[in-house]
Structures are given as structure tokens and as C-alpha cells.
Amino acid sequence: MEVTNRYITTKTHIDGAPKESLFELKTEALALSVEPGSNVVIVKNLYVSIDPYQINRMKTPGEVSHHLILLYQVRLWLVIDTYGVAKVVASGNPNFEKDDLVVGLITWGEYSVLKEGTILNKLDTVGFPLTYHVGILGLSGLAAYAGFFEVCKPKKGEKVFVSAASGSVGNMVGQYAKQLGCYVVGCAGTKQKVELLKEKLGFDDAFNYKEETDLQSALKRYFPDGIDIYFDNVGGEMLEAAVDNMNTFGRIAVCGVIAEYTDAGKRAAPDMLNVVYKRIRIQGYLAVDYLNVYEDFISTTSDHLRTGNMQALEDITSGVENIPSAFIGLFRGDNIGKKVVKLADE
């Protein structure tokens, strides 16, 4: 059997803000058959993750710092890999059978041809929607769980600040912190998002950073006794302001720096004297650093979801042709929660 596979590629390297003209929707014929014993698996993609870090994989090679080599550069005109959920349609791998639901590295396309060595696992939905396994029970969720509990080492009653708090990771960090008994304040970019953080997710307070002319003063207002933990998703001026308001022995988990991804001029320059004399620990990390806590993460988060103590915040768009606009929207702050693109009916 042969099908038409539509997928997204980049036409050029992207060193500033992404634009739809820099992407292309390509079409090719795909035979849904594999050689027995080839270990190749062909899947029909159901849901794919849309993540801002991908922009760093799309930059001109010379513009990408050597330490970003871990990201594996996106190659022009070729399919772009991403995290997602899919259904097996053909398999030469004895570990997978036709119609198996799988989760792992698939592609920004309608079908994916996955060679041996690709990160792919059978999916046990544990009673939750498939989209949860792209977001709250996927790598975004693990990033939130590991960053908060393993990097920040929180204690009950501590004061926690979360930037980009209505995003895929930030909203979960705030919810974990509330479950632990922390005082939590988040920032976001619209009135709607601020109200959602307080009314739906239970943040103690929240503010619209776009309405603040002095971020340092704003944080002083919300944290008169200082910040114990800052979970950073944006970098730039917000990180600088947070450092100025940190308490002694404060911890900062740097999960992302979206303010800096498309504008090198916004790179943070925190007051290092504060870092030294307050003994502040600032640590960057990747979700894959903490696969050892994956089972604890799934168990804890599933329990919170079943009891209603945590809410899944999702923003779902349909159609492979809409992947570029969904991706670009991340940098405008269009999304609320985890951005997912649906590619096929379950």
C-alpha cells in the first residue's frame, strides 16, 4: 500500500524570529511496507509536540555555540524530528506490531519512517488522553518535575517564582509547588493568562510582565521577603531581576531562555556579586538528565491528575500544514499550556 506523506521542512537557517516563509510543506509517496528483520518501523503520527527549543536546532551552524551540538542540527529540506505519539502501520522490528500505540521521537509530518536506534517505546495510556503523553506526562512534564524537585530541592513554605508560568513547563512547576505547600507567584504576558494562573491553577498570585516598567521593583512587591526558588523559562531581564531579589542560598533552575532564542541582545547579565554573596545556585539542565526519576514523575503526576489536584493545560491545533504557525506562535506568546498539533484521528 502506498500513501501520500506530507511533512514540514526548513528552507533556510533561522537566526532571528521564525517566519512562515522559512518553512515548506513537502509531499512524497510513501510505501507502507518494510523488509522483515530490517528493524524499521513506519508509524502514522497522531500528535506532535511543538517546543521553542527547536529554534536553536534551526540556526546557521556557525551561529550555534559548540555546546549546542547535543541538539542535533535540523538539516535543510529534510524532515524535522520531534517528540510525539503515533500508531504503528508497518514494522520490521519484533518489538513493535501493527496498531501498537507508541511514544518517542517521530517527525513534523503525517507519517514517520523510524530506523533502528530511534527513541521509541510502546505507550501505556494509563487511562489518560493521548495528548497528555505529549505534554504533562511527556518530556515537558519531566522537565518541570525534575527541574523543580531535583534541581531546586524545594521545601514546604518556600517562596517560588515561575516565569512563563502559563507555558508547557511553567504551569506544571507552579502546580507542583502548590502541592508541596509553597508560596507561588507566576508571570505571564496577558490578563487572561494571569487570571488562569490564579483561578484555575491555584497560584497565590500572578502578574503581567508587559505591564511592569521595572521588573526588579515588581518582584520586590510580590516577594517582600525575597525569593527562595526561581524557575526560569525566559532568561534576559527577568533572570536579572530575579537574582536581585533572591534570598541567601536561593536556587535557580534554568529550563529555557526563550527571550534570548531569537534576540542575542537580550542575553542576561545577572549581578554576580549577588550570586557570590548570597550563595545563589544557578543550574541549567535538560529533561533527559533525569530519566532516573521518570517512574516517580509518572506515578506522582498521574496521582495528582486522578485526584484533580493538578490540571492539564493544553493548546491543540489540527493539521500538518499548521505546524509552522503553531511553532511561530510560541515566540509571540500565543499558546496557553502545552502546544500540540493533532495530525490524525486516534
Side-chain angles (χ1 to χ4, degrees):
M1 179 180 175
E2 187 174 90
V3 296
T4 297
N5 181 32
R6 297 186 300 160
Y7 59 96
I8 300 296
T9 69
T10 51
K11 294 157 61 174
T12 184
H13 296 296
I14 305 173
D15 295 319
K19 302 174 184 177
E20 289 207 43
S21 61
L22 303 178
F23 296 90
E24 181 159 313
L25 177 65
K26 298 190 74 174
T27 301
E28 69 177 11
L30 176 65
L32 298 184
S33 61
V34 295
E35 292 292 329
S38 66
N39 284 322
V40 171
V41 178
I42 301 177
V43 300
K44 185 176 182 63
N45 302 332
L46 302 178
Y47 296 97
V48 291
S49 177
I50 308 297
D51 302 288
Y53 83 88
Q54 293 271 40
I55 193 73
N56 296 315
R57 304 177 62 217
M58 299 173 183
K59 294 180 178 179
T60 301
E63 297 297 318
V64 179
S65 300
H66 68 279
H67 52 267
L68 295 181
I69 195 168
L70 285 172
L71 293 174
Y72 299 108
Q73 196 98 17
V74 168
R75 297 172 64 186
L76 301 183
W77 302 106
L78 296 182
V79 70
I80 298 167
D81 61 301
T82 190
Y83 193 77
V85 170
K87 178 177 282 190
V88 175
V89 294
S91 176
N93 186 321
N95 295 319
F96 301 99
E97 297 179 359
K98 188 175 184 296
D99 294 330
D100 280 346
L101 286 174
V102 292
V103 61
L105 282 183
I106 55 176
T107 61
W108 277 5
E110 294 175 319
Y111 292 86
S112 299
V113 179
L114 307 175
K115 298 179 180 179
E116 185 176 11
T118 300
I119 298 172
L120 192 70
N121 294 290
K122 286 186 180 180
L123 175 61
D124 178 359
T125 66
V126 292
F128 293 113
L130 294 184
T131 53
Y132 282 27
H133 299 278
V134 180
I136 196 167
L137 294 175
L139 287 182
S140 295
L142 179 60
Y145 183 90
F148 185 60
F149 290 108
E150 299 298 314
V151 176
C152 295
K153 304 289 186 184
K155 304 182 198 63
K156 182 179 180 179
E158 287 194 307
K159 295 171 284 293
V160 178
F161 174 48
V162 185
S163 59
S166 65
S168 62
V169 176
N171 88 84
M172 291 187 62
V173 172
Q175 293 186 78
Y176 285 134
K178 286 305 302 174
Q179 290 305 309
L180 186 63
C182 296
Y183 173 78
V184 184
V185 175
C187 72
T190 68
K191 180 180 179 181
Q192 176 193 12
K193 291 178 180 180
V194 167
E195 292 306 311
L196 180 147
L197 293 175
K198 294 188 290 185
E199 295 175 8
K200 181 175 182 178
L201 301 187
F203 281 54
D204 293 286
D205 217 331
F207 65 93
N208 183 347
Y209 69 91
K210 294 179 181 178
E211 296 177 351
E212 301 292 342
T213 57
D214 185 337
L215 292 175
Q216 184 176 352
S217 297
L219 290 180
K220 182 66 176 176
R221 189 166 74 247
Y222 286 96
F223 294 96
D225 298 319
I227 300 168
D228 297 307
I229 291 172
Y230 171 42
F231 195 95
D232 188 19
N233 290 301
V234 301
E237 295 175 346
M238 194 67 75
L239 174 59
E240 296 171 6
V243 165
D244 289 342
N245 283 277
M246 295 297 291
N247 286 330
T248 302
F249 297 111
R251 289 88 73 203
I252 299 175
V254 184
C255 180
V257 288
I258 193 169
E260 304 180 26
Y261 289 164
T262 58
D263 186 351
K266 290 187 176 180
R267 286 179 181 163
D271 184 339
M272 296 307 293
L273 285 177
N274 271 331
V275 174
V276 172
Y277 286 101
K278 291 183 180 180
R279 283 85 91 196
I280 298 167
R281 180 162 59 84
I282 304 175
Q283 181 179 335
Y285 73 101
L286 300 175
V288 294
D289 297 335
Y290 293 96
L291 293 177
N292 61 305
V293 301
Y294 182 79
E295 290 185 7
D296 290 339
F297 150 64
I298 292 293
S299 175
T300 299
T301 309
S302 296
D303 287 347
H304 285 322
L305 287 169
R306 290 192 180 99
T307 58
N309 291 327
M310 286 185 70
Q311 306 294 321
L313 209 57
E314 299 179 310
D315 191 330
I316 302 173
T317 298
S318 294
V320 65
E321 68 278 4
N322 291 316
I323 287 177
S325 61
F327 179 64
I328 292 163
L330 296 176
F331 300 91
R332 296 193 300 250
D334 292 351
N335 63 300
I336 297 179
K338 177 63 186 179
K339 189 66 191 177
V340 176
V341 172
K342 177 182 177 180
L343 298 173
D345 291 330
E346 298 175 20

